[in-house]
Amino acid sequence: MPVGFLLATVAVAWSQRGDALLADETGLLVRHRGRVTRRYRWEEIREAELTRPGFGQVALAVYPNGGPWDVPGPNSAVLVGRIWRLRMPDREIQDRVNALLRSRGVRTTD
């Protein structure tokens, strides 16, 4: 069982090796399997934070400005830009990501 889990983790990580989270003046861009799949405009994002969604992964949790009946709602995060990394990025990288988010009016949690 542990060998199968390890092989599945390596296979998923290999298939997502080109993924990236990019930012421009309009908002966040997500590159998945070589193409840009989703854009989040800065004014649509209420809050964001770096999080660990699973084993060996780091992602940006984005809380959009949604109403109570919107999907996702204002209290539901959308995980974007998952990268495979065994540990959280060092403090300098986290500070740079948070500074970028704050410069665009996005609240961050530390």
PDB file of all heavy atoms in Angstrom, residues 22-28 40-48 65 96-108:
ATOM      1  N   LEU A  22       1.036  32.687 -12.042  1.00  0.00           N
ATOM      2  CA  LEU A  22       1.628  33.912 -12.552  1.00  0.00           C
ATOM      3  C   LEU A  22       0.756  35.102 -12.166  1.00  0.00           C
ATOM      4  O   LEU A  22      -0.439  34.944 -11.911  1.00  0.00           O
ATOM      5  CB  LEU A  22       1.755  33.830 -14.078  1.00  0.00           C
ATOM      6  CG  LEU A  22       2.401  32.554 -14.625  1.00  0.00           C
ATOM      7  CD1 LEU A  22       2.165  32.425 -16.102  1.00  0.00           C
ATOM      8  CD2 LEU A  22       3.874  32.547 -14.299  1.00  0.00           C
ATOM      9  N   ALA A  23       1.335  36.277 -12.128  1.00  0.00           N
ATOM     10  CA  ALA A  23       0.583  37.488 -11.808  1.00  0.00           C
ATOM     11  C   ALA A  23       0.929  38.572 -12.818  1.00  0.00           C
ATOM     12  O   ALA A  23       2.068  38.690 -13.263  1.00  0.00           O
ATOM     13  CB  ALA A  23       0.925  37.962 -10.398  1.00  0.00           C
ATOM     14  N   ASP A  24      -0.079  39.345 -13.192  1.00  0.00           N
ATOM     15  CA  ASP A  24       0.140  40.517 -14.030  1.00  0.00           C
ATOM     16  C   ASP A  24      -0.679  41.665 -13.453  1.00  0.00           C
ATOM     17  O   ASP A  24      -1.215  41.554 -12.352  1.00  0.00           O
ATOM     18  CB  ASP A  24      -0.192  40.232 -15.498  1.00  0.00           C
ATOM     19  CG  ASP A  24      -1.645  39.900 -15.741  1.00  0.00           C
ATOM     20  OD1 ASP A  24      -2.462  39.980 -14.811  1.00  0.00           O
ATOM     21  OD2 ASP A  24      -1.987  39.569 -16.886  1.00  0.00           O
ATOM     22  N   GLU A  25      -0.773  42.767 -14.180  1.00  0.00           N
ATOM     23  CA  GLU A  25      -1.477  43.931 -13.655  1.00  0.00           C
ATOM     24  C   GLU A  25      -2.971  43.688 -13.515  1.00  0.00           C
ATOM     25  O   GLU A  25      -3.650  44.366 -12.754  1.00  0.00           O
ATOM     26  CB  GLU A  25      -1.220  45.170 -14.510  1.00  0.00           C
ATOM     27  CG  GLU A  25      -1.742  45.093 -15.925  1.00  0.00           C
ATOM     28  CD  GLU A  25      -0.840  44.306 -16.874  1.00  0.00           C
ATOM     29  OE1 GLU A  25       0.328  44.035 -16.538  1.00  0.00           O
ATOM     30  OE2 GLU A  25      -1.325  43.941 -17.952  1.00  0.00           O
ATOM     31  N   THR A  26      -3.522  42.699 -14.208  1.00  0.00           N
ATOM     32  CA  THR A  26      -4.956  42.415 -14.150  1.00  0.00           C
ATOM     33  C   THR A  26      -5.315  41.474 -13.016  1.00  0.00           C
ATOM     34  O   THR A  26      -6.348  41.626 -12.380  1.00  0.00           O
ATOM     35  CB  THR A  26      -5.427  41.800 -15.483  1.00  0.00           C
ATOM     36  OG1 THR A  26      -5.032  42.665 -16.544  1.00  0.00           O
ATOM     37  CG2 THR A  26      -6.913  41.617 -15.505  1.00  0.00           C
ATOM     38  N   GLY A  27      -4.462  40.487 -12.762  1.00  0.00           N
ATOM     39  CA  GLY A  27      -4.769  39.518 -11.711  1.00  0.00           C
ATOM     40  C   GLY A  27      -3.862  38.312 -11.773  1.00  0.00           C
ATOM     41  O   GLY A  27      -2.738  38.377 -12.262  1.00  0.00           O
ATOM     42  N   LEU A  28      -4.372  37.198 -11.271  1.00  0.00           N
ATOM     43  CA  LEU A  28      -3.626  35.946 -11.219  1.00  0.00           C
ATOM     44  C   LEU A  28      -3.949  35.092 -12.436  1.00  0.00           C
ATOM     45  O   LEU A  28      -5.106  34.980 -12.839  1.00  0.00           O
ATOM     46  CB  LEU A  28      -3.993  35.149  -9.968  1.00  0.00           C
ATOM     47  CG  LEU A  28      -3.620  35.771  -8.631  1.00  0.00           C
ATOM     48  CD1 LEU A  28      -4.166  34.908  -7.496  1.00  0.00           C
ATOM     49  CD2 LEU A  28      -2.121  35.914  -8.501  1.00  0.00           C
ATOM     50  N   TYR A  40      -7.959  35.203 -12.145  1.00  0.00           N
ATOM     51  CA  TYR A  40      -8.634  35.839 -11.018  1.00  0.00           C
ATOM     52  C   TYR A  40      -8.243  37.307 -11.027  1.00  0.00           C
ATOM     53  O   TYR A  40      -7.070  37.633 -10.875  1.00  0.00           O
ATOM     54  CB  TYR A  40      -8.223  35.207  -9.690  1.00  0.00           C
ATOM     55  CG  TYR A  40      -8.714  33.793  -9.547  1.00  0.00           C
ATOM     56  CD1 TYR A  40      -7.953  32.730  -9.973  1.00  0.00           C
ATOM     57  CD2 TYR A  40      -9.966  33.539  -9.003  1.00  0.00           C
ATOM     58  CE1 TYR A  40      -8.403  31.432  -9.860  1.00  0.00           C
ATOM     59  CE2 TYR A  40     -10.423  32.245  -8.881  1.00  0.00           C
ATOM     60  CZ  TYR A  40      -9.641  31.190  -9.308  1.00  0.00           C
ATOM     61  OH  TYR A  40     -10.094  29.912  -9.203  1.00  0.00           O
ATOM     62  N   ARG A  41      -9.199  38.189 -11.235  1.00  0.00           N
ATOM     63  CA  ARG A  41      -8.917  39.621 -11.215  1.00  0.00           C
ATOM     64  C   ARG A  41      -8.654  40.061  -9.782  1.00  0.00           C
ATOM     65  O   ARG A  41      -9.237  39.530  -8.856  1.00  0.00           O
ATOM     66  CB  ARG A  41     -10.078  40.410 -11.801  1.00  0.00           C
ATOM     67  CG  ARG A  41     -10.297  40.137 -13.258  1.00  0.00           C
ATOM     68  CD  ARG A  41     -11.411  41.007 -13.811  1.00  0.00           C
ATOM     69  NE  ARG A  41     -11.526  40.839 -15.241  1.00  0.00           N
ATOM     70  CZ  ARG A  41     -10.784  41.487 -16.126  1.00  0.00           C
ATOM     71  NH1 ARG A  41      -9.884  42.339 -15.736  1.00  0.00           N
ATOM     72  NH2 ARG A  41     -10.934  41.267 -17.409  1.00  0.00           N
ATOM     73  N   TRP A  42      -7.760  41.044  -9.618  1.00  0.00           N
ATOM     74  CA  TRP A  42      -7.398  41.506  -8.278  1.00  0.00           C
ATOM     75  C   TRP A  42      -8.619  41.963  -7.491  1.00  0.00           C
ATOM     76  O   TRP A  42      -8.751  41.678  -6.313  1.00  0.00           O
ATOM     77  CB  TRP A  42      -6.368  42.632  -8.354  1.00  0.00           C
ATOM     78  CG  TRP A  42      -5.039  42.193  -8.873  1.00  0.00           C
ATOM     79  CD1 TRP A  42      -4.421  42.649  -9.995  1.00  0.00           C
ATOM     80  CD2 TRP A  42      -4.157  41.216  -8.317  1.00  0.00           C
ATOM     81  NE1 TRP A  42      -3.219  42.007 -10.167  1.00  0.00           N
ATOM     82  CE2 TRP A  42      -3.026  41.131  -9.150  1.00  0.00           C
ATOM     83  CE3 TRP A  42      -4.217  40.400  -7.187  1.00  0.00           C
ATOM     84  CZ2 TRP A  42      -1.974  40.263  -8.894  1.00  0.00           C
ATOM     85  CZ3 TRP A  42      -3.164  39.531  -6.939  1.00  0.00           C
ATOM     86  CH2 TRP A  42      -2.056  39.470  -7.778  1.00  0.00           C
ATOM     87  N   GLU A  43      -9.534  42.659  -8.155  1.00  0.00           N
ATOM     88  CA  GLU A  43     -10.706  43.179  -7.438  1.00  0.00           C
ATOM     89  C   GLU A  43     -11.695  42.080  -7.046  1.00  0.00           C
ATOM     90  O   GLU A  43     -12.574  42.306  -6.220  1.00  0.00           O
ATOM     91  CB  GLU A  43     -11.412  44.272  -8.243  1.00  0.00           C
ATOM     92  CG  GLU A  43     -11.893  43.863  -9.607  1.00  0.00           C
ATOM     93  CD  GLU A  43     -10.859  44.055 -10.707  1.00  0.00           C
ATOM     94  OE1 GLU A  43      -9.705  44.439 -10.421  1.00  0.00           O
ATOM     95  OE2 GLU A  43     -11.199  43.801 -11.867  1.00  0.00           O
ATOM     96  N   GLU A  44     -11.555  40.882  -7.609  1.00  0.00           N
ATOM     97  CA  GLU A  44     -12.423  39.759  -7.251  1.00  0.00           C
ATOM     98  C   GLU A  44     -11.912  38.989  -6.035  1.00  0.00           C
ATOM     99  O   GLU A  44     -12.632  38.151  -5.497  1.00  0.00           O
ATOM    100  CB  GLU A  44     -12.539  38.788  -8.424  1.00  0.00           C
ATOM    101  CG  GLU A  44     -13.216  39.369  -9.639  1.00  0.00           C
ATOM    102  CD  GLU A  44     -13.147  38.449 -10.840  1.00  0.00           C
ATOM    103  OE1 GLU A  44     -12.322  37.504 -10.846  1.00  0.00           O
ATOM    104  OE2 GLU A  44     -13.912  38.690 -11.771  1.00  0.00           O
ATOM    105  N   ILE A  45     -10.689  39.257  -5.610  1.00  0.00           N
ATOM    106  CA  ILE A  45     -10.073  38.493  -4.515  1.00  0.00           C
ATOM    107  C   ILE A  45     -10.168  39.296  -3.231  1.00  0.00           C
ATOM    108  O   ILE A  45      -9.678  40.404  -3.136  1.00  0.00           O
ATOM    109  CB  ILE A  45      -8.601  38.176  -4.829  1.00  0.00           C
ATOM    110  CG1 ILE A  45      -8.493  37.399  -6.135  1.00  0.00           C
ATOM    111  CG2 ILE A  45      -7.987  37.388  -3.684  1.00  0.00           C
ATOM    112  CD1 ILE A  45      -7.074  37.238  -6.621  1.00  0.00           C
ATOM    113  N   ARG A  46     -10.822  38.711  -2.232  1.00  0.00           N
ATOM    114  CA  ARG A  46     -10.955  39.369  -0.929  1.00  0.00           C
ATOM    115  C   ARG A  46      -9.744  39.072  -0.042  1.00  0.00           C
ATOM    116  O   ARG A  46      -9.234  39.939   0.634  1.00  0.00           O
ATOM    117  CB  ARG A  46     -12.236  38.883  -0.248  1.00  0.00           C
ATOM    118  CG  ARG A  46     -12.458  39.433   1.141  1.00  0.00           C
ATOM    119  CD  ARG A  46     -13.786  38.964   1.715  1.00  0.00           C
ATOM    120  NE  ARG A  46     -13.972  37.526   1.687  1.00  0.00           N
ATOM    121  CZ  ARG A  46     -13.572  36.703   2.658  1.00  0.00           C
ATOM    122  NH1 ARG A  46     -12.985  37.163   3.728  1.00  0.00           N
ATOM    123  NH2 ARG A  46     -13.775  35.409   2.560  1.00  0.00           N
ATOM    124  N   GLU A  47      -9.308  37.824  -0.054  1.00  0.00           N
ATOM    125  CA  GLU A  47      -8.230  37.381   0.831  1.00  0.00           C
ATOM    126  C   GLU A  47      -7.507  36.220   0.183  1.00  0.00           C
ATOM    127  O   GLU A  47      -8.088  35.481  -0.620  1.00  0.00           O
ATOM    128  CB  GLU A  47      -8.839  36.942   2.169  1.00  0.00           C
ATOM    129  CG  GLU A  47      -7.855  36.585   3.238  1.00  0.00           C
ATOM    130  CD  GLU A  47      -8.552  36.272   4.557  1.00  0.00           C
ATOM    131  OE1 GLU A  47      -9.752  36.541   4.705  1.00  0.00           O
ATOM    132  OE2 GLU A  47      -7.867  35.738   5.438  1.00  0.00           O
ATOM    133  N   ALA A  48      -6.226  36.022   0.529  1.00  0.00           N
ATOM    134  CA  ALA A  48      -5.451  34.900  -0.005  1.00  0.00           C
ATOM    135  C   ALA A  48      -4.383  34.509   0.994  1.00  0.00           C
ATOM    136  O   ALA A  48      -3.944  35.331   1.811  1.00  0.00           O
ATOM    137  CB  ALA A  48      -4.816  35.274  -1.336  1.00  0.00           C
ATOM    138  N   ASN A  65     -14.562  37.501  -3.662  1.00  0.00           N
ATOM    139  CA  ASN A  65     -15.633  38.360  -3.161  1.00  0.00           C
ATOM    140  C   ASN A  65     -16.965  37.790  -3.614  1.00  0.00           C
ATOM    141  O   ASN A  65     -17.553  38.263  -4.558  1.00  0.00           O
ATOM    142  CB  ASN A  65     -15.495  39.787  -3.715  1.00  0.00           C
ATOM    143  CG  ASN A  65     -14.358  40.526  -3.091  1.00  0.00           C
ATOM    144  OD1 ASN A  65     -14.056  40.356  -1.925  1.00  0.00           O
ATOM    145  ND2 ASN A  65     -13.704  41.346  -3.876  1.00  0.00           N
ATOM    146  N   ARG A  96       7.490  37.798  -0.063  1.00  0.00           N
ATOM    147  CA  ARG A  96       7.349  38.386  -1.403  1.00  0.00           C
ATOM    148  C   ARG A  96       5.953  38.154  -1.966  1.00  0.00           C
ATOM    149  O   ARG A  96       5.351  39.055  -2.563  1.00  0.00           O
ATOM    150  CB  ARG A  96       8.415  37.801  -2.342  1.00  0.00           C
ATOM    151  CG  ARG A  96       9.803  38.336  -2.036  1.00  0.00           C
ATOM    152  CD  ARG A  96      10.899  37.698  -2.825  1.00  0.00           C
ATOM    153  NE  ARG A  96      10.610  37.576  -4.243  1.00  0.00           N
ATOM    154  CZ  ARG A  96      11.225  36.733  -5.047  1.00  0.00           C
ATOM    155  NH1 ARG A  96      12.171  35.939  -4.587  1.00  0.00           N
ATOM    156  NH2 ARG A  96      10.925  36.676  -6.312  1.00  0.00           N
ATOM    157  N   VAL A  97       5.407  36.950  -1.770  1.00  0.00           N
ATOM    158  CA  VAL A  97       4.053  36.652  -2.242  1.00  0.00           C
ATOM    159  C   VAL A  97       3.047  37.537  -1.503  1.00  0.00           C
ATOM    160  O   VAL A  97       2.162  38.143  -2.116  1.00  0.00           O
ATOM    161  CB  VAL A  97       3.716  35.152  -2.055  1.00  0.00           C
ATOM    162  CG1 VAL A  97       2.233  34.885  -2.283  1.00  0.00           C
ATOM    163  CG2 VAL A  97       4.565  34.296  -2.980  1.00  0.00           C
ATOM    164  N   ASN A  98       3.180  37.636  -0.184  1.00  0.00           N
ATOM    165  CA  ASN A  98       2.266  38.466   0.600  1.00  0.00           C
ATOM    166  C   ASN A  98       2.381  39.941   0.223  1.00  0.00           C
ATOM    167  O   ASN A  98       1.378  40.646   0.166  1.00  0.00           O
ATOM    168  CB  ASN A  98       2.506  38.271   2.093  1.00  0.00           C
ATOM    169  CG  ASN A  98       2.019  36.922   2.580  1.00  0.00           C
ATOM    170  OD1 ASN A  98       1.155  36.303   1.965  1.00  0.00           O
ATOM    171  ND2 ASN A  98       2.577  36.453   3.673  1.00  0.00           N
ATOM    172  N   ALA A  99       3.590  40.424  -0.042  1.00  0.00           N
ATOM    173  CA  ALA A  99       3.772  41.824  -0.443  1.00  0.00           C
ATOM    174  C   ALA A  99       3.091  42.094  -1.781  1.00  0.00           C
ATOM    175  O   ALA A  99       2.453  43.138  -1.960  1.00  0.00           O
ATOM    176  CB  ALA A  99       5.257  42.169  -0.507  1.00  0.00           C
ATOM    177  N   LEU A 100       3.210  41.158  -2.725  1.00  0.00           N
ATOM    178  CA  LEU A 100       2.541  41.316  -4.013  1.00  0.00           C
ATOM    179  C   LEU A 100       1.029  41.366  -3.830  1.00  0.00           C
ATOM    180  O   LEU A 100       0.351  42.233  -4.383  1.00  0.00           O
ATOM    181  CB  LEU A 100       2.912  40.173  -4.960  1.00  0.00           C
ATOM    182  CG  LEU A 100       2.101  40.121  -6.253  1.00  0.00           C
ATOM    183  CD1 LEU A 100       2.442  41.305  -7.145  1.00  0.00           C
ATOM    184  CD2 LEU A 100       2.311  38.817  -6.966  1.00  0.00           C
ATOM    185  N   LEU A 101       0.495  40.455  -3.029  1.00  0.00           N
ATOM    186  CA  LEU A 101      -0.950  40.426  -2.805  1.00  0.00           C
ATOM    187  C   LEU A 101      -1.428  41.714  -2.149  1.00  0.00           C
ATOM    188  O   LEU A 101      -2.425  42.305  -2.565  1.00  0.00           O
ATOM    189  CB  LEU A 101      -1.329  39.212  -1.955  1.00  0.00           C
ATOM    190  CG  LEU A 101      -1.131  37.846  -2.616  1.00  0.00           C
ATOM    191  CD1 LEU A 101      -1.291  36.735  -1.602  1.00  0.00           C
ATOM    192  CD2 LEU A 101      -2.086  37.659  -3.780  1.00  0.00           C
ATOM    193  N   ARG A 102      -0.707  42.169  -1.124  1.00  0.00           N
ATOM    194  CA  ARG A 102      -1.107  43.405  -0.431  1.00  0.00           C
ATOM    195  C   ARG A 102      -1.014  44.628  -1.335  1.00  0.00           C
ATOM    196  O   ARG A 102      -1.838  45.537  -1.248  1.00  0.00           O
ATOM    197  CB  ARG A 102      -0.236  43.604   0.808  1.00  0.00           C
ATOM    198  CG  ARG A 102      -0.598  42.688   1.938  1.00  0.00           C
ATOM    199  CD  ARG A 102       0.140  43.071   3.219  1.00  0.00           C
ATOM    200  NE  ARG A 102       0.213  41.925   4.091  1.00  0.00           N
ATOM    201  CZ  ARG A 102       1.322  41.277   4.415  1.00  0.00           C
ATOM    202  NH1 ARG A 102       2.489  41.687   3.970  1.00  0.00           N
ATOM    203  NH2 ARG A 102       1.283  40.233   5.192  1.00  0.00           N
ATOM    204  N   SER A 103      -0.026  44.646  -2.233  1.00  0.00           N
ATOM    205  CA  SER A 103       0.105  45.792  -3.139  1.00  0.00           C
ATOM    206  C   SER A 103      -1.069  45.895  -4.100  1.00  0.00           C
ATOM    207  O   SER A 103      -1.341  46.951  -4.636  1.00  0.00           O
ATOM    208  CB  SER A 103       1.423  45.700  -3.932  1.00  0.00           C
ATOM    209  OG  SER A 103       1.341  44.684  -4.921  1.00  0.00           O
ATOM    210  N   ARG A 104      -1.771  44.805  -4.291  1.00  0.00           N
ATOM    211  CA  ARG A 104      -2.945  44.776  -5.161  1.00  0.00           C
ATOM    212  C   ARG A 104      -4.253  44.858  -4.383  1.00  0.00           C
ATOM    213  O   ARG A 104      -5.330  44.649  -4.931  1.00  0.00           O
ATOM    214  CB  ARG A 104      -2.942  43.521  -6.021  1.00  0.00           C
ATOM    215  CG  ARG A 104      -1.769  43.431  -6.945  1.00  0.00           C
ATOM    216  CD  ARG A 104      -1.747  44.606  -7.866  1.00  0.00           C
ATOM    217  NE  ARG A 104      -0.610  44.530  -8.773  1.00  0.00           N
ATOM    218  CZ  ARG A 104      -0.499  45.253  -9.857  1.00  0.00           C
ATOM    219  NH1 ARG A 104      -1.424  46.125 -10.154  1.00  0.00           N
ATOM    220  NH2 ARG A 104       0.548  45.138 -10.626  1.00  0.00           N
ATOM    221  N   GLY A 105      -4.179  45.107  -3.074  1.00  0.00           N
ATOM    222  CA  GLY A 105      -5.377  45.277  -2.258  1.00  0.00           C
ATOM    223  C   GLY A 105      -5.981  44.005  -1.730  1.00  0.00           C
ATOM    224  O   GLY A 105      -7.121  43.989  -1.273  1.00  0.00           O
ATOM    225  N   VAL A 106      -5.227  42.904  -1.754  1.00  0.00           N
ATOM    226  CA  VAL A 106      -5.709  41.617  -1.254  1.00  0.00           C
ATOM    227  C   VAL A 106      -5.244  41.452   0.183  1.00  0.00           C
ATOM    228  O   VAL A 106      -4.054  41.606   0.475  1.00  0.00           O
ATOM    229  CB  VAL A 106      -5.185  40.459  -2.129  1.00  0.00           C
ATOM    230  CG1 VAL A 106      -5.624  39.118  -1.563  1.00  0.00           C
ATOM    231  CG2 VAL A 106      -5.645  40.610  -3.565  1.00  0.00           C
ATOM    232  N   ARG A 107      -6.159  41.129   1.079  1.00  0.00           N
ATOM    233  CA  ARG A 107      -5.795  40.886   2.477  1.00  0.00           C
ATOM    234  C   ARG A 107      -5.126  39.529   2.575  1.00  0.00           C
ATOM    235  O   ARG A 107      -5.528  38.566   1.910  1.00  0.00           O
ATOM    236  CB  ARG A 107      -7.060  40.929   3.340  1.00  0.00           C
ATOM    237  CG  ARG A 107      -6.778  40.919   4.824  1.00  0.00           C
ATOM    238  CD  ARG A 107      -8.018  41.143   5.630  1.00  0.00           C
ATOM    239  NE  ARG A 107      -8.897  39.991   5.514  1.00  0.00           N
ATOM    240  CZ  ARG A 107     -10.211  40.056   5.458  1.00  0.00           C
ATOM    241  NH1 ARG A 107     -10.812  41.206   5.490  1.00  0.00           N
ATOM    242  NH2 ARG A 107     -10.933  38.952   5.363  1.00  0.00           N
ATOM    243  N   THR A 108      -4.082  39.414   3.396  1.00  0.00           N
ATOM    244  CA  THR A 108      -3.370  38.152   3.572  1.00  0.00           C
ATOM    245  C   THR A 108      -3.407  37.759   5.031  1.00  0.00           C
ATOM    246  O   THR A 108      -3.573  38.591   5.918  1.00  0.00           O
ATOM    247  CB  THR A 108      -1.894  38.259   3.128  1.00  0.00           C
ATOM    248  OG1 THR A 108      -1.238  39.250   3.913  1.00  0.00           O
ATOM    249  CG2 THR A 108      -1.784  38.616   1.661  1.00  0.00           C
TER     250      THR A 108
END
